[in-house]
DNA sequence: GGCCATTCAGTTGTGCACAACTGAATTGTG
DNA sequence: CACAATTCAGTTGTGCACAACTGAATGGCC
């Protein structure tokens, strides 16, 4: 039987054996589909994700948004600035903790939610998958991401 | 029963219902793990993918590399230049078709393959998945990406 | 042969991801 | 209280992804 231990290094190197590549390709394919669906809203896909969080949770510090989306301030700061420039988001320094900046949607941002309501259904339809299949795949991916996030970097170097 | 048709738009908008986000997060988690594993080789993950293709297929036009990796010249041209600057790849204009530029690994690039042999196994181990699970997930993702790549952009707009 | 559409690689501009860093605010500890 | 460590948003620099474009080479068609 073919197992992790009996498979040769050579076989592992084949492109079509790389799950990371399938993941990468599927993500980019999704990105393309979202690009089309979000075009009329004037949003990029990461901007849409940030709005999903703010629509769902209300006003949040940048830090919390980053925890929900697994993104840091280096990505979120300019992204939020662009959302602010577009008039969908307001930012202000927290009164309780002056280090913290919170973001919340403006009226325009809230109105955008109505226009976004139809997006996920069209995306889901585009996948050609049932809700159950989607849920299963999502659960698999979440488990995978959780495990990968826990990996000790030292386990990856040649010398161990 | 909950189906695509009976689920409300509101429910679709929940972040934790978005498969694209799980995909996005898993991809970025993978990227982080690869970053650690490829650090000692001085490669980024996309550069590693390009080398996988060249190791496996030999000399290829930019166009063909892009077909294997679903990338266009806008991404590949600068990436190949960096690989060339690092001494791992040579580029030259094709004699048969002067529009085409082919890339192939140098001796250093071929030598790098030996150092890369252990990478996929360590990555696979980091996923905590069996080869069978990996194969299944990969197949699911490939089907998903193929369907998404076929989507007609007009099916995604509000007016249909 | 002459002309036009197509096919290439490459460039430019925008945006995301992330490491490394800065500087201000806060917290913990003696 | 004082001061060191931590936490936070933001900046900078590098690299990838991709749309839109340029310009050269090619191929089809009359």
């Amino acid at each position: 039987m073919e197992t992790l231990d009996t498979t040769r290094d050579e076989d592992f190197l084949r492109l079509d054996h790389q799950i990371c590549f399938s993941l990468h390709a599927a993500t980019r394919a999704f990105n393309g589909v979202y690009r089309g669906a979000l075009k009329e809203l004037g949003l990029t896909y990461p901007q849409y994700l940030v709005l999903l969080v703010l629509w769902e949770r209300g006003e949040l510090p940048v830090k919390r948004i980053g925890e929900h989306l697994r993104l840091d301030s280096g990505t979120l700061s300019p992204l939020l600035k662009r959302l602010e420039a577009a008039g969908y988001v307001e930012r202000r320094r927290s009164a309780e903790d002056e280090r913290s900046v919170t973001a919340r949607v403006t009226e325009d941002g809230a109105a955008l939610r109505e226009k976004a309501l139809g997006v996920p259904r069209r995306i889901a339809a585009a996948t050609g998958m049932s809700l159950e299949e989607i849920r299963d795949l999502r659960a698999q991916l979440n488990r995978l991401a959780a495990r990968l996030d826990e990996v000790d970097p030292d386990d990856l170097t040649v010398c161990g």
Side-chain angles (χ1 to χ4, degrees), chain A residues 69-89:
Chain A
L69 298 179
R70 200 191 177 284
L71 292 171
D72 69 2
S73 66
T75 300
L76 286 174
S77 288
L79 190 157
L80 286 168
K81 273 190 181 178
R82 281 186 287 269
L83 283 178
E84 189 171 40
Y88 297 138
V89 156

Side-chain angles (χ1 to χ4, degrees), chain A residues 2 17 31 34 46 50 59 62-63 70 93 96 106 117 119-120 130 140 144-145:
Chain A
E2 188 188 20
H17 284 190
N31 228 305
Y34 270 100
V50 167
E59 186 163 12
V62 174
K63 178 78 176 176
R70 200 191 177 284
R93 230 154 243 291
E96 308 90 61
T106 60
L117 277 176
V119 170
S130 72
Q140 280 185 67
L144 178 58

Side-chain angles (χ1 to χ4, degrees), chain A residues 7-66:
Chain A
T7 302
R8 291 176 310 128
D9 283 336
E10 297 287 330
D11 292 332
F12 271 120
L13 267 195
R14 289 174 50 87
L15 178 62
D16 59 1
H17 284 190
Q18 311 285 322
I19 187 169
C20 54
F21 174 65
S22 300
L23 213 48
H24 203 60
T27 293
R28 277 165 28 238
F30 249 125
N31 228 305
V33 171
Y34 270 100
R35 212 189 320 276
L38 294 174
K39 198 172 185 176
E40 55 196 301
L41 305 186
L43 295 175
T44 66
Y45 169 58
Q47 288 166 5
Y48 170 74
L49 287 180
V50 167
L51 287 178
L52 280 184
V53 172
L54 294 180
W55 285 329
E56 192 171 328
R57 311 265 167 173
E59 186 163 12
L60 280 182
V62 174
K63 178 78 176 176
R64 295 276 161 279
I65 300 174

Side-chain angles (χ1 to χ4, degrees), chain A residues 55 87-90 104-114:
Chain A
W55 285 329
Y88 297 138
V89 156
E90 280 175 358
R104 58 173 177 180
V105 293
T106 60
E107 275 190 33
D108 281 0
L112 201 60
R113 183 174 190 276
E114 305 309 311

